Amino acid sequence: MRISVFGLGYVGSVSAACLAERGHEVVGVDVNPTKVELLSRGQAPVVEERIGELTAEVVASGALRATTDVAEAIRATEISLICVGTPSAANGSLSTAYLERVAEEIGAVLAGLDRWHTVVFRSTMLPGTCTDLLIPILEKESGKTAGVEFGVAVNPEFLREGSSVKDFFDPPKTVIGELDSRSADAVAAMYVGLPGDVFRVPIAVAEMAKYADNCFHGLKIAFANELGAISRALGVDSHKMIEVFLADTKLNISPAYLKPGFAFGGSCLPKDLRGLVYAARRADVAVPLLSHVLPSNEEHLKRAIELVTATGKRKIGLFGLSFKPGTDDLRESPLVELAERLLGKGYDLKIYDSNVALSRLVGANREHIEGRLPHLSDLLTNDVAEVFAHAEVCVVGSTEPAVLEALAEPGDRDVVDLVRLPDAEARRATQGYQGLGW
């Protein structure tokens, strides 16, 4: 393929050299003539493992060249990879100035091009940037329609500085946000044969995927560092502790818990978070990440309450009460907290949870619920149809078969979904349905 790469920083220089090494004909483009001159001489504009030798090889073979001329690059290629920077503005917001300028320049060239050209944004940008900002610029400058007369796709990179060449050839995944299938096919063809799954997704999903990765990486580093600080203060070898932590690939280093849903609860997580944060405070160790986990959980509970109150209806059917499916444990259940707050606001509440029967509750579990919902016997029923008939709003915290069956019945009830129902995607298009995080 004939590919132009706009922006010869870390991502652009590596992408250009690696694509050229894979047999593509690549033109690097940058506004900085010094970078263009360096690359034209076979020298990488950046310092990175293996990039110097690789750049020299592909320039010498004629597979990679560079220019400052946007029009020349577009006319010589069939696909353009945009790798310009998106730095933080002074207020922390994303700066799209470089993206906008490149989109304007490319759009102007597309206006006089009599063939299909695909514009692929590889820069890190927030969801909505491509469809709401960049595509309109391209269409305005070109006088053409995206997806009809020229192609657009988003292809975030997952390259780490210091090992970016290795990461390019051994990616964990390839993500393609597609506006049109023809463009997505072209992006996929650039990487054919590389390892890792290929995800062809809506453009906004591709944009968000990059942020999810980087925020999670930062979260992991901060988490490990705070545990290290607490461990040191308590006389614990943090590296030995982390070895034990990492050995659990069922719950710790795994997809477990990593799906948007309702707030967490139960007899362990809230208690142990409070305990460790208290221990850190006693040892004069600041742990801002860990100390904000429970407040974050509280905000998620508030979101659920806001969805209920936004309906403007007063009769509520709550499906689910225990802190997670398959148990009758009500201790620190977010659904119990939700029920308590709705009652406090004067809502008319009926509750169904097949796992919870007052006659079976004993010990701390019974003491907890009697303190939080002393009139639970008047609210709780083992008849799902009774709760369904009562409800103007169904708040779904359970996917029990009886609950799903009841919700399949026709009606004009609002649904507040805390668990992502199996038919959530279809329900999203209907009036009266609200998902908590989807």
Side-chain angles (χ1 to χ4, degrees):
M1 298 176 69
R2 292 175 295 121
I3 305 166
S4 48
V5 177
F6 284 76
L8 296 176
Y10 279 92
V11 173
S13 294
V14 171
S15 297
C18 291
L19 287 168
E21 201 278 336
R22 298 197 79 234
H24 301 294
E25 182 182 326
V26 184
V27 180
V29 189
D30 203 285
V31 296
N32 187 333
T34 301
K35 289 185 179 182
V36 171
E37 290 169 9
L38 281 170
L39 195 142
S40 298
R41 295 199 299 265
Q43 298 175 319
V46 298
V47 176
E48 182 77 11
E49 185 179 357
R50 288 182 58 195
I51 192 62
E53 312 92 278
L54 187 59
T55 299
E57 290 171 11
V58 293
V59 170
S61 71
L64 173 61
R65 63 183 179 87
T67 181
T68 59
D69 191 330
V70 173
E72 177 199 348
I74 295 292
R75 295 190 188 110
T77 58
E78 57 197 297
I79 185 167
S80 294
L81 211 57
I82 314 306
C83 303
V84 299
T86 52
S88 291
N91 63 358
S93 65
L94 176 76
S95 174
T96 58
Y98 301 139
L99 281 170
E100 292 176 56
R101 184 171 66 187
V102 169
E104 289 171 355
E105 293 174 341
I106 291 176
V109 179
L110 292 180
L113 204 65
D114 60 359
R115 58 177 171 79
W116 182 273
H117 191 88
T118 300
V119 182
V120 182
F121 292 98
R122 197 154 165 81
S123 304
T124 300
M125 52 194 188
L126 289 166
T129 304
C130 183
T131 55
D132 298 343
L133 176 66
L134 301 177
I135 288 177
I137 291 174
L138 288 167
E139 291 182 329
K140 177 184 176 183
E141 297 296 327
S142 67
K144 297 180 178 181
T145 303
V148 178
E149 296 166 282
F150 66 93
V152 174
V154 168
N155 173 223
E157 49 80 20
F158 302 97
L159 309 175
R160 297 167 295 172
E161 289 190 26
S163 62
S164 56
V165 173
K166 177 180 180 298
D167 290 343
F168 184 97
F169 291 116
D170 187 20
K173 62 198 171 194
T174 297
V175 178
I176 305 168
E178 59 180 295
L179 177 70
D180 58 276
S181 59
R182 180 176 177 179
S183 295
D185 290 343
V187 177
M190 288 195 301
Y191 304 114
V192 67
L194 291 180
D197 293 334
V198 176
F199 295 91
R200 292 176 60 154
V201 296
I203 281 178
V205 173
E207 290 170 316
M208 188 64 179
K210 173 66 174 180
Y211 280 90
D213 278 29
N214 282 354
C215 289
F216 188 52
H217 298 162
L219 182 69
K220 289 196 292 184
I221 293 168
F223 175 74
N225 286 342
E226 286 195 1
L227 285 180
I230 298 172
S231 295
R232 181 177 183 276
L234 300 180
V236 174
D237 186 329
S238 63
H239 280 239
K240 289 189 181 297
M241 176 273 297
I242 285 292
E243 285 180 16
V244 176
F245 173 84
L246 294 175
D248 184 348
T249 55
K250 290 183 179 179
L251 299 180
N252 291 349
I253 311 304
S254 76
Y257 307 123
L258 278 173
K259 283 187 179 178
F262 194 34
F264 64 79
S267 60
C268 296
L269 300 189
K271 173 181 71 70
D272 293 345
L273 272 163
R274 282 192 293 266
L276 191 59
V277 170
Y278 177 76
R281 191 162 55 243
R282 285 190 62 189
D284 289 327
V285 175
V287 285
L289 175 64
L290 290 173
S291 64
H292 280 82
V293 174
L294 286 173
S296 173
N297 200 48
E298 165 68 17
E299 289 300 319
H300 206 50
L301 175 61
K302 288 180 181 177
R303 292 183 193 111
I305 295 171
E306 288 167 1
L307 290 180
V308 176
T309 57
T311 67
K313 299 176 181 178
R314 307 300 297 177
K315 291 187 175 182
I316 311 298
L318 177 59
F319 298 90
L321 192 62
S322 61
F323 89 95
K324 69 177 182 179
T327 177
D328 66 350
D329 196 346
L330 302 174
R331 290 173 293 174
E332 299 213 43
S333 167
L335 290 168
V336 170
E337 184 69 25
L338 178 64
E340 183 183 18
R341 295 191 192 186
L342 291 175
L343 285 172
K345 292 177 179 289
Y347 286 90
D348 185 358
L349 190 63
K350 282 284 185 184
I351 303 171
Y352 170 82
D353 188 325
S354 65
N355 292 308
V356 179
L358 289 179
S359 60
R360 294 202 306 262
L361 296 179
V362 295
N365 201 10
R366 188 177 186 94
E367 290 174 10
H368 176 76
I369 198 61
E370 285 178 345
R372 304 302 295 274
L373 294 173
H375 304 295
L376 183 60
S377 59
D378 298 326
L379 307 173
L380 188 65
T381 175
N382 59 5
D383 185 354
V384 69
E386 180 183 345
V387 177
F388 191 68
H390 167 84
E392 295 174 317
V393 181
C394 296
V395 180
V396 186
S398 166
T399 55
E400 291 183 38
V403 173
L404 298 181
E405 186 177 340
L407 291 171
E409 295 292 326
D412 59 355
R413 300 167 181 82
D414 286 4
V415 174
V416 174
D417 183 1
L418 308 180
V419 293
R420 191 173 174 93
L421 290 164
D423 59 348
E425 196 61 37
R427 285 182 180 270
R428 286 176 65 183
T430 64
Q431 189 173 5
Y433 171 85
Q434 292 291 333
L436 181 57
W438 45 90

